[in-house]
Each structure stands twice: as C-alpha cells, then as structure tokens.
Amino acid sequence: MNNALAAAQATGGQDPAEKYAAARKLADVIERANVEEFISAIKGLPNQTDLSAIFNFLGLWRGSLLHIAAAANKDDILRLLLDHVSDDLIAAQNEWGDTPLHMAAKAGGSRAATILIRQARDLANVAGNIRFLRMKNKHGNTALHEAVLNGHFDMVRLLLRKDLEPVYWKNLAGKSPLHLALDTDNSAIHEVLFSRSLEPWRIEGMPPVHGAVVRDNYGTYLNLLVRTIYVCEK
C-alpha cells in the first residue's frame, strides 16, 4: 500500500479546484468500494496530484476523507489514511463540528472508533486522548451523545469503557446521554447506561427523570433511574 501511495505522490502546489475535485472523487470511491479499489483510484489520479494536500483536505461537505471513511465504516481505508495524514486531522472538525470519531459514532462503527481512539492515544499523552473523546460538535454532542441518539449499543459500550465523564454532560438542547437514552425505546442502551455506578447529582441539564415521566410507560424508566441511584449508593 505504501509503495502505491508513494508512486502516486507528486510534489508542488495544487490548484484549489483540482484539489476539491480529486478529494471528491476519492470520497465517492470510499463510499462504494474497498481498499484495493481505493488504492487503484489513487494511482489513477493525474501525475501532478499532491496526495498529501488531498488527504488533509477538510473542505468536502462532510469534512475530510478521514471523516468519510469513518462514516462509511471502511476500516481498512481508515487505517491507510491514518498512515498518511497529519496528526491533527484525527481531531479536525467539519462544518458541523464533527470529528472523525463523531462520524464513527453516528454510523455505529465501533471498530473504526477503536482505531481512531488508539491512534489518538499513540499520538498524544493521556490528557490529549481524553480531550479527543470529549470533543463536542455544534449541537454540543460528544461522540457518546451521538452513539446514544443513533441507537448504537456497541459504540455506547465502547465509549463508556474509554471515558465515563461525558455521560453527565448536557448538549445544547440541555440533554445528557442519560436523558437521550430515555427518549428512545432501546432497552440494551438503557441497560448499559443505567447499570453503571453513576453519580446522579453530576448530571447536567434536564434531569433524566424528566424524560421518564413524559412517556406513557414511564414506570420502566423510573425503575432504571432508581436502580442507578441504588447501584451508586451500594
């Protein structure tokens, strides 16, 4: 893979329009193809193409090629890109404030998220890795918020295992992941969130009980909240 990329890499500047067109072409390939076809598409770019500029380009409608690979659950392409992009692109935010980890969380790509988190850990100290996990988009959502909103159990479990702190944080709508969970009927996500030893007084924004009492079958949800308090005090 590295040899193929090196062969396609050219030096010199890149016209902005050409850079966008090349990035858009590779983005389309990512969404419909595998890593071999992606490499083939790279090799088919014009000789003057500056691959470094294309890989680090953040001006696509969903961000960079890294964002698109994470959103498409293309793990092999994601790994390939991570070997060839600048270190700061892993935490780069698109127009909506989403990082590649947000995109993976929305898509339920727990393997992609694991790759990104491992890369962030290798590139930064522990504090830097924690900051990566806690970044918010323009809706005030962390990756955990997005995973809950989109009903991805494996992703929620992974993110909770890596960092519990965002479970308490509110988004711009005033809702924590705990509250968002009670807006859904996903019992698996309820279980993984409310079986944790939590500190209810730390929950920001609307209390989760608010989300419970407005639902027709609020008894089930109130039982979850009571159990959370019990687990915490046990």
Side-chain angles (χ1 to χ4, degrees):
M1 291 184 188
N2 289 339
N3 290 338
L5 292 174
Q9 177 68 66
T11 59
Q14 184 84 36
D15 178 83
E18 292 177 351
K19 182 163 59 175
Y20 174 83
R24 177 64 183 271
K25 178 179 180 179
L26 291 182
D28 291 342
V29 174
I30 289 173
E31 293 186 329
R32 62 175 171 76
N34 59 32
V35 67
E36 288 79 15
E37 292 168 295
F38 180 65
I39 293 171
S40 178
I42 290 170
K43 294 166 68 175
L45 292 173
N47 291 334
Q48 70 272 20
T49 302
D50 182 351
L51 281 183
S52 177
I54 303 306
F55 286 173
N56 288 284
F57 182 62
L58 198 57
L60 296 172
W61 73 278
R62 282 195 288 175
S64 68
L65 296 178
L66 204 62
H67 287 79
I68 291 167
N73 286 322
K74 297 298 179 67
D75 300 334
D76 289 340
I77 296 176
L78 185 70
R79 291 189 186 93
L80 178 64
L81 289 169
L82 285 171
D83 286 338
H84 295 276
V85 298
S86 60
D87 291 349
D88 58 356
L89 195 67
I90 192 172
Q93 294 175 285
N94 64 16
E95 182 180 350
W96 297 276
D98 291 321
T99 67
L101 183 61
H102 282 95
M103 304 299 277
K106 291 179 180 183
S110 53
R111 288 179 59 191
T114 300
I115 293 167
L116 291 165
I117 293 168
R118 185 182 299 118
Q119 182 81 357
R121 181 197 62 202
D122 292 342
L123 292 174
N125 57 29
V126 174
N129 188 38
I130 291 299
R131 185 188 70 83
F132 173 67
L133 288 162
R134 297 178 181 182
M135 292 181 71
K136 293 184 176 183
N137 61 21
K138 290 187 177 180
H139 297 290
N141 290 335
T142 65
L144 180 60
H145 285 83
E146 294 292 352
V148 173
L149 274 169
N150 289 278
H152 298 308
F153 168 76
D154 287 337
M155 179 67 71
V156 171
R157 183 173 56 180
L158 168 67
L159 294 172
L160 287 173
R161 204 162 55 230
K162 297 296 181 181
D163 183 25
L164 186 62
E165 182 64 22
V167 79
Y168 300 112
W169 292 2
K170 65 180 178 180
N171 60 15
L172 293 187
K175 296 183 178 183
S176 68
L178 295 164
H179 192 293
L180 292 174
L182 294 179
D183 286 341
T184 75
D185 292 316
N186 194 317
S187 60
I189 289 180
H190 297 161
E191 183 68 26
V192 73
L193 281 170
F194 289 96
S195 63
R196 298 275 168 169
S197 180
L198 302 176
E199 300 171 341
W201 56 89
R202 295 186 58 200
I203 301 171
E204 298 177 354
M206 300 180 190
V209 67
H210 178 271
V213 298
V214 298
R215 299 185 64 89
D216 292 338
N217 54 345
Y218 61 83
T220 300
Y221 302 99
L222 288 177
N223 287 337
L224 286 169
L225 295 174
V226 170
R227 187 175 65 180
T228 298
I229 297 171
Y230 172 75
V231 169
C232 179
E233 295 178 347
K234 189 174 180 180

